[in-house]
Amino acid sequence: MQTVDLIVHASWIIPVNQARDVLADHALVVDQGKVVATLPSKEANLAYQAKEELDLAGRALIPGLINTHGHAAMTLFRGMADDLPLMTWLNDHIWPAEGKWVSSEFVHDGTQIAIAEMLRSGTTTYSDNYFFPEDAIRAILPTKMRAQLNFAVLDFPNNWASGPDDALAKGTELVKSYREHDQVRVIYGPHAPYTVSDEPLLKIKALAEEHGVGIQMHVHETQGEVDDAVKANGERPVARLHRLGLLGPHFQAVHMTALNDDDIRMCAETGTHIIHNPESNLKLASGFCPVDALQKSGVNVALGTDGAASNNDLDMLGEMRTAAQLAKAVAMNAEALPAYEALAVATINGAKAMNRHHELGSLEAGKLADFAAIDLSDIESAPIYDPVSHIVYATSRQQVEHVWIGGEQVVKHRELLTIDRQEMIAKASTWRSKIKE
């Protein structure tokens, strides 16, 4: 018998593989941080012996969720400026608050609080667009969470950088330092077409190509953004980005509401990834991303929560449910984004957008052992005909019982093992007292 680090037996394993399997009474075999095999529990007992073995009857194992867009430190602004349209929210509340409060300490503390929330929700990888990325990294590393950091680039100065050239100089050093890092990757994060002009965008394109990394950008967040761009220069934002050469398989376009057929065609032809943020878009009345039309055109659609200041949580299970339901309403088609595909949008599709699908996003031999166990044993999940349907349509994040990253357990019976939860609650309270003064 082969000796391995860990065997987890579960009532269901949902690997999110190409065949879209649901594996009943199977075991996940893990060694040296990677998945060795998924096979029936009886066969696993004959082929392997483990240093640690768990029997999780009534539980489903899924790949760790991948939150493909957010602003982690903005968790400290959660609920601060609700029920406002996007530009009022930004101009009158968020940008002034950021100008006053965003700092190394703010980013470090806010990032760790966000990671604690995400881990307890089954998220094992997230993407973050914000300032002071070096301090975000300092917060991330002890937690074991994986992250893609898209450092913010804007035409105007902010607390982290005096302008786009300063941001690019600082950020590119991090790109180079973390290019092959197992836990953290750094890419370019121009904020939006209306805050970044052509010259820095062309520099970003050249630098991203030079270093072989991606670009993530808010694009077509509202109809107003599109209308203003057309009025100002006669060109839709997607068309402008296409003309500048930014669209492509390394470009992650966030939000993408208010799309026409030409926008969708350009994304499909270039291999551009779309990052869907349904709950933030709904709350800010930003519009609807046409997920069904994009997927039917062959566009990869991934899922993100956006920041807790505009959502107001970082719950990817809730985001999945909203995405699945909203896709049906927008397409006027009950078959749009079925449950298993919604789970794929929250896992393997996010890995594809980050260009890490060869190692993340599904539970298959050779991939990193990032996974969560969801408790489906109680009355809220009875009866079970299809566990995937339950996970998408009838499961809350409180049912996320255990989480592993690289085969190391980071949540056990809902208790965080790499972050002090009480310390995070205290830090959040301290920041609230400062900000509310």
Side-chain angles (χ1 to χ4, degrees):
M1 297 178 71
Q2 181 181 341
T3 299
V4 295
D5 291 332
L6 175 67
I7 297 176
V8 182
H9 301 273
S11 292
W12 304 274
I13 296 178
I14 303 162
V16 196
N17 56 3
Q18 190 66 37
R20 300 298 193 248
D21 289 323
V22 176
L23 307 174
D25 299 318
H26 268 56
L28 185 72
V29 182
V30 176
D31 194 49
Q32 297 183 12
K34 293 185 177 181
V35 175
V36 174
T38 53
L39 71 171
S41 285
K42 291 180 180 178
E43 294 181 20
N45 290 334
L46 295 174
Y48 300 96
Q49 60 182 12
K51 299 171 186 175
E52 181 182 7
E53 190 164 359
L54 298 175
D55 184 1
L56 298 183
R59 278 69 176 170
L61 303 186
I62 65 168
L65 299 169
I66 298 178
N67 185 348
T68 327
H69 178 69
H71 311 278
M74 292 182 77
T75 297
L76 293 174
F77 293 147
R78 190 199 314 262
M80 192 181 73
D82 286 338
D83 306 320
L84 296 168
L86 174 64
M87 296 316 296
T88 302
W89 179 78
L90 277 175
N91 288 318
D92 297 348
H93 298 274
I94 295 303
W95 283 342
E98 285 181 329
K100 183 174 182 180
W101 293 110
V102 172
S103 64
S104 296
E105 183 185 13
F106 179 97
V107 169
H108 176 272
D109 291 354
T111 296
Q112 283 208 327
I113 293 166
I115 289 172
E117 178 182 356
M118 286 189 279
L119 288 176
R120 281 173 34 110
S121 307
T123 294
T124 56
T125 301
Y126 80 102
S127 180
D128 192 39
N129 180 272
Y130 215 56
F131 310 103
F132 295 96
E134 59 274 24
D135 295 288
I137 293 170
R138 184 166 55 90
I140 292 162
L141 292 178
T143 72
K144 308 301 180 184
M145 174 69 90
R146 300 190 201 279
Q148 170 189 272
L149 298 184
N150 334 308
F151 63 89
V153 182
L154 301 99
D155 278 350
F156 44 85
N158 54 68
N159 296 21
W160 178 60
S162 61
D165 288 340
D166 187 27
L168 289 174
K170 291 176 176 178
T172 298
E173 288 304 308
L174 293 174
V175 168
K176 292 187 287 187
S177 296
Y178 288 90
R179 185 173 174 183
E180 300 297 330
H181 198 276
D182 178 58
Q183 198 177 336
V184 174
R185 305 286 172 88
V186 181
I187 70 169
Y188 293 85
H191 173 257
Y194 58 89
T195 55
V196 188
S197 53
D198 284 3
E199 183 179 352
L201 283 177
L202 290 171
K203 290 180 181 178
I204 288 167
K205 174 181 178 290
L207 286 166
E209 289 175 352
E210 177 184 349
H211 298 291
V213 300
I215 301 168
Q216 185 176 108
M217 187 179 194
H218 305 84
V219 185
H220 280 229
E221 188 166 358
T222 65
Q223 182 66 55
E225 173 194 332
V226 178
D227 293 344
D228 288 347
V230 171
K231 184 178 180 180
N233 54 41
E235 195 172 32
R236 294 168 68 85
V238 165
R240 173 185 164 218
L241 294 173
H242 189 35
R243 173 175 56 79
L244 294 174
L246 269 79
L247 299 186
H250 297 295
F251 191 81
Q252 304 164 22
V254 181
H255 296 297
M256 293 295 274
T257 73
L259 301 183
N260 64 21
D261 289 344
D262 285 339
D263 299 326
I264 294 172
R265 176 185 54 77
M266 283 184 275
C267 291
E269 289 177 353
T270 58
T272 294
H273 306 277
I274 306 301
I275 313 301
H276 183 32
N277 299 258
E279 292 186 359
S280 174
N281 288 346
L282 285 167
K283 183 166 177 283
L284 292 167
S286 297
F288 308 112
C289 177
V291 171
D292 188 51
L294 286 162
Q295 290 192 319
K296 285 178 177 174
S297 296
V299 177
N300 179 52
V301 179
L303 189 67
T305 60
D306 210 345
S310 64
N311 186 309
N312 292 17
D313 60 41
L314 306 178
D315 176 7
M316 282 289 285
L317 285 172
E319 206 77 31
M320 264 196 294
R321 182 186 304 183
T322 302
Q325 293 173 339
L326 185 62
K328 301 172 194 311
V330 170
M332 294 297 291
N333 176 8
E335 295 179 315
L337 198 62
Y340 210 130
E341 294 313 306
L343 182 58
V345 164
T347 53
I348 189 63
N349 290 13
K352 289 175 181 175
M354 293 181 179
N355 194 30
R356 298 195 70 178
H357 51 289
H358 58 288
E359 56 183 353
L360 299 175
S362 62
L363 297 177
E364 299 179 272
K367 288 197 172 185
L368 294 166
D370 296 3
F371 62 102
I374 297 177
D375 185 359
L376 300 179
S377 66
D378 218 329
I379 188 65
E380 290 82 4
S381 301
I384 298 175
Y385 301 107
D386 179 354
V388 180
S389 173
H390 274 18
I391 288 167
V392 174
Y393 294 119
T395 296
S396 75
R397 59 180 170 179
Q398 282 72 29
Q399 291 167 255
V400 176
E401 189 174 27
H402 308 288
V403 181
W404 289 261
I405 298 178
E408 178 179 344
Q409 194 161 10
V410 294
V411 177
K412 184 175 184 178
H413 296 295
R414 295 206 44 76
E415 284 301 317
L416 294 161
L417 302 183
T418 60
I419 307 177
D420 186 325
R421 182 166 59 92
Q422 292 303 322
E423 181 186 353
M424 295 303 104
I425 293 170
K427 282 187 175 183
S429 179
T430 298
W431 276 104
R432 175 191 172 276
S433 296
K434 290 181 184 178
I435 291 168
K436 198 175 180 183
E437 286 177 354

PDB file of all heavy atoms in Angstrom, residues 136-151:
ATOM      1  N   ALA A 136      -0.623  44.065   1.579  1.00  0.00           N
ATOM      2  CA  ALA A 136      -1.563  42.960   1.390  1.00  0.00           C
ATOM      3  C   ALA A 136      -0.821  41.628   1.404  1.00  0.00           C
ATOM      4  O   ALA A 136      -1.275  40.659   2.031  1.00  0.00           O
ATOM      5  CB  ALA A 136      -2.322  43.133   0.077  1.00  0.00           C
ATOM      6  N   ILE A 137       0.325  41.575   0.746  1.00  0.00           N
ATOM      7  CA  ILE A 137       1.122  40.340   0.731  1.00  0.00           C
ATOM      8  C   ILE A 137       1.547  39.969   2.152  1.00  0.00           C
ATOM      9  O   ILE A 137       1.480  38.796   2.561  1.00  0.00           O
ATOM     10  CB  ILE A 137       2.348  40.500  -0.188  1.00  0.00           C
ATOM     11  CG1 ILE A 137       1.897  40.622  -1.651  1.00  0.00           C
ATOM     12  CG2 ILE A 137       3.311  39.324  -0.019  1.00  0.00           C
ATOM     13  CD1 ILE A 137       2.990  41.029  -2.610  1.00  0.00           C
ATOM     14  N   ARG A 138       1.962  40.960   2.908  1.00  0.00           N
ATOM     15  CA  ARG A 138       2.364  40.718   4.305  1.00  0.00           C
ATOM     16  C   ARG A 138       1.202  40.128   5.107  1.00  0.00           C
ATOM     17  O   ARG A 138       1.408  39.285   5.993  1.00  0.00           O
ATOM     18  CB  ARG A 138       2.831  42.051   4.904  1.00  0.00           C
ATOM     19  CG  ARG A 138       3.373  41.979   6.305  1.00  0.00           C
ATOM     20  CD  ARG A 138       4.111  43.268   6.672  1.00  0.00           C
ATOM     21  NE  ARG A 138       3.320  44.472   6.501  1.00  0.00           N
ATOM     22  CZ  ARG A 138       2.546  45.001   7.441  1.00  0.00           C
ATOM     23  NH1 ARG A 138       2.453  44.405   8.631  1.00  0.00           N
ATOM     24  NH2 ARG A 138       1.868  46.119   7.218  1.00  0.00           N
ATOM     25  N   ALA A 139      -0.013  40.541   4.801  1.00  0.00           N
ATOM     26  CA  ALA A 139      -1.186  40.008   5.483  1.00  0.00           C
ATOM     27  C   ALA A 139      -1.546  38.607   5.000  1.00  0.00           C
ATOM     28  O   ALA A 139      -1.985  37.758   5.782  1.00  0.00           O
ATOM     29  CB  ALA A 139      -2.375  40.942   5.277  1.00  0.00           C
ATOM     30  N   ILE A 140      -1.348  38.363   3.712  1.00  0.00           N
ATOM     31  CA  ILE A 140      -1.771  37.105   3.094  1.00  0.00           C
ATOM     32  C   ILE A 140      -0.903  35.918   3.506  1.00  0.00           C
ATOM     33  O   ILE A 140      -1.418  34.844   3.844  1.00  0.00           O
ATOM     34  CB  ILE A 140      -1.749  37.250   1.552  1.00  0.00           C
ATOM     35  CG1 ILE A 140      -2.826  38.217   1.075  1.00  0.00           C
ATOM     36  CG2 ILE A 140      -1.917  35.895   0.866  1.00  0.00           C
ATOM     37  CD1 ILE A 140      -2.591  38.737  -0.334  1.00  0.00           C
ATOM     38  N   LEU A 141       0.393  36.090   3.468  1.00  0.00           N
ATOM     39  CA  LEU A 141       1.301  34.937   3.559  1.00  0.00           C
ATOM     40  C   LEU A 141       1.071  34.052   4.781  1.00  0.00           C
ATOM     41  O   LEU A 141       1.041  32.820   4.643  1.00  0.00           O
ATOM     42  CB  LEU A 141       2.754  35.419   3.488  1.00  0.00           C
ATOM     43  CG  LEU A 141       3.177  36.000   2.135  1.00  0.00           C
ATOM     44  CD1 LEU A 141       4.624  36.494   2.190  1.00  0.00           C
ATOM     45  CD2 LEU A 141       3.015  34.971   1.013  1.00  0.00           C
ATOM     46  N   PRO A 142       0.877  34.588   5.993  1.00  0.00           N
ATOM     47  CA  PRO A 142       0.691  33.687   7.137  1.00  0.00           C
ATOM     48  C   PRO A 142      -0.617  32.897   7.103  1.00  0.00           C
ATOM     49  O   PRO A 142      -0.744  31.890   7.803  1.00  0.00           O
ATOM     50  CB  PRO A 142       0.704  34.634   8.347  1.00  0.00           C
ATOM     51  CG  PRO A 142       1.242  35.927   7.860  1.00  0.00           C
ATOM     52  CD  PRO A 142       0.903  35.998   6.412  1.00  0.00           C
ATOM     53  N   THR A 143      -1.584  33.324   6.303  1.00  0.00           N
ATOM     54  CA  THR A 143      -2.911  32.708   6.311  1.00  0.00           C
ATOM     55  C   THR A 143      -3.014  31.479   5.424  1.00  0.00           C
ATOM     56  O   THR A 143      -3.985  30.735   5.522  1.00  0.00           O
ATOM     57  CB  THR A 143      -3.971  33.710   5.851  1.00  0.00           C
ATOM     58  OG1 THR A 143      -3.835  33.936   4.437  1.00  0.00           O
ATOM     59  CG2 THR A 143      -3.862  35.026   6.612  1.00  0.00           C
ATOM     60  N   LYS A 144      -2.058  31.300   4.515  1.00  0.00           N
ATOM     61  CA  LYS A 144      -2.040  30.226   3.512  1.00  0.00           C
ATOM     62  C   LYS A 144      -2.966  30.482   2.326  1.00  0.00           C
ATOM     63  O   LYS A 144      -2.954  29.734   1.346  1.00  0.00           O
ATOM     64  CB  LYS A 144      -2.352  28.851   4.111  1.00  0.00           C
ATOM     65  CG  LYS A 144      -1.497  28.482   5.314  1.00  0.00           C
ATOM     66  CD  LYS A 144      -0.015  28.480   4.989  1.00  0.00           C
ATOM     67  CE  LYS A 144       0.828  28.117   6.205  1.00  0.00           C
ATOM     68  NZ  LYS A 144       2.277  28.191   5.927  1.00  0.00           N
ATOM     69  N   MET A 145      -3.822  31.511   2.409  1.00  0.00           N
ATOM     70  CA  MET A 145      -4.700  31.860   1.292  1.00  0.00           C
ATOM     71  C   MET A 145      -3.871  32.138   0.037  1.00  0.00           C
ATOM     72  O   MET A 145      -2.756  32.682   0.114  1.00  0.00           O
ATOM     73  CB  MET A 145      -5.509  33.111   1.651  1.00  0.00           C
ATOM     74  CG  MET A 145      -6.373  33.682   0.537  1.00  0.00           C
ATOM     75  SD  MET A 145      -7.771  32.657   0.092  1.00  0.00           S
ATOM     76  CE  MET A 145      -9.039  33.305   1.196  1.00  0.00           C
ATOM     77  N   ARG A 146      -4.396  31.756  -1.120  1.00  0.00           N
ATOM     78  CA  ARG A 146      -3.754  32.109  -2.396  1.00  0.00           C
ATOM     79  C   ARG A 146      -4.387  33.396  -2.922  1.00  0.00           C
ATOM     80  O   ARG A 146      -5.584  33.638  -2.721  1.00  0.00           O
ATOM     81  CB  ARG A 146      -3.926  30.989  -3.414  1.00  0.00           C
ATOM     82  CG  ARG A 146      -3.332  29.658  -2.976  1.00  0.00           C
ATOM     83  CD  ARG A 146      -3.321  28.665  -4.117  1.00  0.00           C
ATOM     84  NE  ARG A 146      -3.235  27.307  -3.618  1.00  0.00           N
ATOM     85  CZ  ARG A 146      -2.114  26.696  -3.239  1.00  0.00           C
ATOM     86  NH1 ARG A 146      -0.960  27.351  -3.309  1.00  0.00           N
ATOM     87  NH2 ARG A 146      -2.127  25.459  -2.794  1.00  0.00           N
ATOM     88  N   ALA A 147      -3.587  34.201  -3.630  1.00  0.00           N
ATOM     89  CA  ALA A 147      -4.112  35.482  -4.090  1.00  0.00           C
ATOM     90  C   ALA A 147      -3.464  35.922  -5.395  1.00  0.00           C
ATOM     91  O   ALA A 147      -2.288  35.645  -5.656  1.00  0.00           O
ATOM     92  CB  ALA A 147      -3.889  36.562  -3.026  1.00  0.00           C
ATOM     93  N   GLN A 148      -4.261  36.582  -6.193  1.00  0.00           N
ATOM     94  CA  GLN A 148      -3.786  37.340  -7.352  1.00  0.00           C
ATOM     95  C   GLN A 148      -3.981  38.803  -7.001  1.00  0.00           C
ATOM     96  O   GLN A 148      -5.106  39.262  -6.807  1.00  0.00           O
ATOM     97  CB  GLN A 148      -4.607  36.987  -8.600  1.00  0.00           C
ATOM     98  CG  GLN A 148      -4.329  37.911  -9.793  1.00  0.00           C
ATOM     99  CD  GLN A 148      -5.303  37.696 -10.931  1.00  0.00           C
ATOM    100  OE1 GLN A 148      -5.088  36.867 -11.797  1.00  0.00           O
ATOM    101  NE2 GLN A 148      -6.409  38.450 -10.939  1.00  0.00           N
ATOM    102  N   LEU A 149      -2.894  39.554  -6.905  1.00  0.00           N
ATOM    103  CA  LEU A 149      -2.981  40.976  -6.575  1.00  0.00           C
ATOM    104  C   LEU A 149      -2.839  41.799  -7.845  1.00  0.00           C
ATOM    105  O   LEU A 149      -1.853  41.673  -8.565  1.00  0.00           O
ATOM    106  CB  LEU A 149      -1.898  41.359  -5.572  1.00  0.00           C
ATOM    107  CG  LEU A 149      -1.952  40.655  -4.206  1.00  0.00           C
ATOM    108  CD1 LEU A 149      -0.881  41.196  -3.293  1.00  0.00           C
ATOM    109  CD2 LEU A 149      -3.320  40.811  -3.570  1.00  0.00           C
ATOM    110  N   ASN A 150      -3.841  42.648  -8.108  1.00  0.00           N
ATOM    111  CA  ASN A 150      -3.822  43.526  -9.275  1.00  0.00           C
ATOM    112  C   ASN A 150      -3.633  44.948  -8.759  1.00  0.00           C
ATOM    113  O   ASN A 150      -4.606  45.598  -8.400  1.00  0.00           O
ATOM    114  CB  ASN A 150      -5.150  43.442 -10.043  1.00  0.00           C
ATOM    115  CG  ASN A 150      -5.859  42.115  -9.850  1.00  0.00           C
ATOM    116  OD1 ASN A 150      -5.258  41.069 -10.046  1.00  0.00           O
ATOM    117  ND2 ASN A 150      -7.110  42.140  -9.442  1.00  0.00           N
ATOM    118  N   PHE A 151      -2.384  45.389  -8.659  1.00  0.00           N
ATOM    119  CA  PHE A 151      -2.148  46.689  -8.033  1.00  0.00           C
ATOM    120  C   PHE A 151      -2.790  47.807  -8.848  1.00  0.00           C
ATOM    121  O   PHE A 151      -2.781  47.806 -10.077  1.00  0.00           O
ATOM    122  CB  PHE A 151      -0.650  46.938  -7.829  1.00  0.00           C
ATOM    123  CG  PHE A 151       0.157  47.020  -9.085  1.00  0.00           C
ATOM    124  CD1 PHE A 151       0.332  48.228  -9.737  1.00  0.00           C
ATOM    125  CD2 PHE A 151       0.756  45.887  -9.625  1.00  0.00           C
ATOM    126  CE1 PHE A 151       1.085  48.325 -10.900  1.00  0.00           C
ATOM    127  CE2 PHE A 151       1.513  45.967 -10.777  1.00  0.00           C
ATOM    128  CZ  PHE A 151       1.680  47.180 -11.416  1.00  0.00           C
TER     129      PHE A 151
END
